[in-house]
Amino acid sequence: MSEHPDAALVRRGYNAFSKGDMDALAGLMTADVIHHVPGTHPLSGHHKGREAVLELYRRYAEETGGTMRVELHHVLVDGRGHAMSFHTFYADRKDRGMEIGGGLFFTVVGGKITDIDECTADIDEENAFWA
């Protein structure tokens, strides 16, 4: 059984993210992509446009001194342009480490990611880590 194209797209995105390959990531997103980050910390909010989203990812790497990594567990699709991923996020920042479950809800149009809605297993822990 072959993998659905939307699931394959999400897996390529995780692979590029893990390698820090911003060019590959850029090619997977529309110019007007939006990444919604939950919480009340400095990186939370709505990051609108490909460059703003890529800058968010650069900030993640910078803020964690390159210690950030994501382990992808599952990708689910609905066959109508939506995919959900489930992962564990690992990082160190300042004097604190974090290992936390999370997920992303993707909207895919024309084979490109147009919207990413992020969820976390512990919003308070995320807020404290990024504060």
Side-chain angles (χ1 to χ4, degrees):
M1 194 157 95
S2 66
E3 185 169 48
H4 189 278
D6 294 345
L9 174 70
V10 168
R11 286 185 194 283
R12 285 194 310 275
Y14 270 83
N15 187 43
F17 182 87
S18 292
K19 292 178 179 178
D21 188 344
M22 295 300 162
D23 290 335
L25 278 170
L28 303 176
M29 300 180 223
T30 60
D32 61 349
V33 65
I34 302 173
H35 187 134
H36 311 273
V37 179
T40 56
H41 56 81
L43 298 178
S44 64
H46 307 288
H47 303 269
K48 300 176 183 179
R50 184 184 299 131
E51 287 309 313
V53 171
L54 294 175
E55 180 58 26
L56 170 66
Y57 300 161
R58 287 183 193 101
R59 290 272 318 273
Y60 283 152
E62 181 180 294
E63 292 287 329
T64 63
T67 64
M68 170 192 69
R69 69 182 178 86
V70 178
E71 181 182 335
L72 178 62
H73 302 295
H74 303 287
V75 179
L76 309 176
V77 298
D78 69 357
R80 300 183 324 261
H82 300 108
M84 295 184 334
S85 64
F86 299 89
H87 61 255
T88 303
F89 179 90
Y90 304 89
D92 294 316
R93 182 169 183 268
K94 299 181 180 175
D95 62 347
R96 182 180 200 116
M98 184 167 68
E99 176 181 333
I100 196 164
L104 302 172
F105 182 81
F106 297 87
T107 302
V108 178
V109 176
K112 300 268 186 178
I113 298 166
T114 64
D115 195 83
I116 306 165
D117 211 337
E118 186 174 327
C119 295
T120 180
D122 188 337
I123 195 113
D124 293 331
E125 177 63 20
E126 291 260 356
N127 285 332
F129 182 79
W130 295 111

PDB file of all heavy atoms in Angstrom, residues 21 56 75 77 87 109:
ATOM      1  N   ASP A  21      17.152  22.170   6.554  1.00  0.00           N
ATOM      2  CA  ASP A  21      17.157  22.486   5.117  1.00  0.00           C
ATOM      3  C   ASP A  21      16.013  23.447   4.793  1.00  0.00           C
ATOM      4  O   ASP A  21      14.921  23.037   4.410  1.00  0.00           O
ATOM      5  CB  ASP A  21      17.045  21.192   4.304  1.00  0.00           C
ATOM      6  CG  ASP A  21      17.230  21.405   2.820  1.00  0.00           C
ATOM      7  OD1 ASP A  21      17.148  22.568   2.352  1.00  0.00           O
ATOM      8  OD2 ASP A  21      17.428  20.397   2.118  1.00  0.00           O
ATOM      9  N   LEU A  56      10.709  31.692  11.917  1.00  0.00           N
ATOM     10  CA  LEU A  56      10.305  31.020  13.153  1.00  0.00           C
ATOM     11  C   LEU A  56      11.162  29.777  13.365  1.00  0.00           C
ATOM     12  O   LEU A  56      11.690  29.553  14.467  1.00  0.00           O
ATOM     13  CB  LEU A  56       8.828  30.625  13.084  1.00  0.00           C
ATOM     14  CG  LEU A  56       8.325  29.703  14.188  1.00  0.00           C
ATOM     15  CD1 LEU A  56       8.354  30.394  15.540  1.00  0.00           C
ATOM     16  CD2 LEU A  56       6.926  29.195  13.847  1.00  0.00           C
ATOM     17  N   VAL A  75       1.599  10.091  10.938  1.00  0.00           N
ATOM     18  CA  VAL A  75       0.949  11.071  10.080  1.00  0.00           C
ATOM     19  C   VAL A  75      -0.384  10.473   9.643  1.00  0.00           C
ATOM     20  O   VAL A  75      -0.432   9.342   9.137  1.00  0.00           O
ATOM     21  CB  VAL A  75       1.794  11.416   8.830  1.00  0.00           C
ATOM     22  CG1 VAL A  75       1.051  12.424   7.952  1.00  0.00           C
ATOM     23  CG2 VAL A  75       3.158  11.955   9.229  1.00  0.00           C
ATOM     24  N   VAL A  77      -4.089  11.296   7.445  1.00  0.00           N
ATOM     25  CA  VAL A  77      -4.671  12.170   6.427  1.00  0.00           C
ATOM     26  C   VAL A  77      -6.161  11.892   6.298  1.00  0.00           C
ATOM     27  O   VAL A  77      -6.640  10.823   6.681  1.00  0.00           O
ATOM     28  CB  VAL A  77      -3.995  11.982   5.047  1.00  0.00           C
ATOM     29  CG1 VAL A  77      -2.514  12.345   5.117  1.00  0.00           C
ATOM     30  CG2 VAL A  77      -4.178  10.575   4.522  1.00  0.00           C
ATOM     31  N   HIS A  87       4.305  13.996  17.157  1.00  0.00           N
ATOM     32  CA  HIS A  87       5.748  13.925  17.329  1.00  0.00           C
ATOM     33  C   HIS A  87       6.133  14.176  18.782  1.00  0.00           C
ATOM     34  O   HIS A  87       5.300  14.575  19.588  1.00  0.00           O
ATOM     35  CB  HIS A  87       6.444  14.959  16.427  1.00  0.00           C
ATOM     36  CG  HIS A  87       6.064  16.373  16.738  1.00  0.00           C
ATOM     37  ND1 HIS A  87       5.211  17.108  15.960  1.00  0.00           N
ATOM     38  CD2 HIS A  87       6.402  17.199  17.770  1.00  0.00           C
ATOM     39  CE1 HIS A  87       5.050  18.317  16.466  1.00  0.00           C
ATOM     40  NE2 HIS A  87       5.766  18.388  17.577  1.00  0.00           N
ATOM     41  N   VAL A 109      -2.994  22.379  -0.181  1.00  0.00           N
ATOM     42  CA  VAL A 109      -3.702  22.754  -1.404  1.00  0.00           C
ATOM     43  C   VAL A 109      -2.717  22.665  -2.564  1.00  0.00           C
ATOM     44  O   VAL A 109      -1.638  23.261  -2.503  1.00  0.00           O
ATOM     45  CB  VAL A 109      -4.291  24.181  -1.304  1.00  0.00           C
ATOM     46  CG1 VAL A 109      -4.942  24.591  -2.617  1.00  0.00           C
ATOM     47  CG2 VAL A 109      -5.285  24.279  -0.150  1.00  0.00           C
TER      48      VAL A 109
END
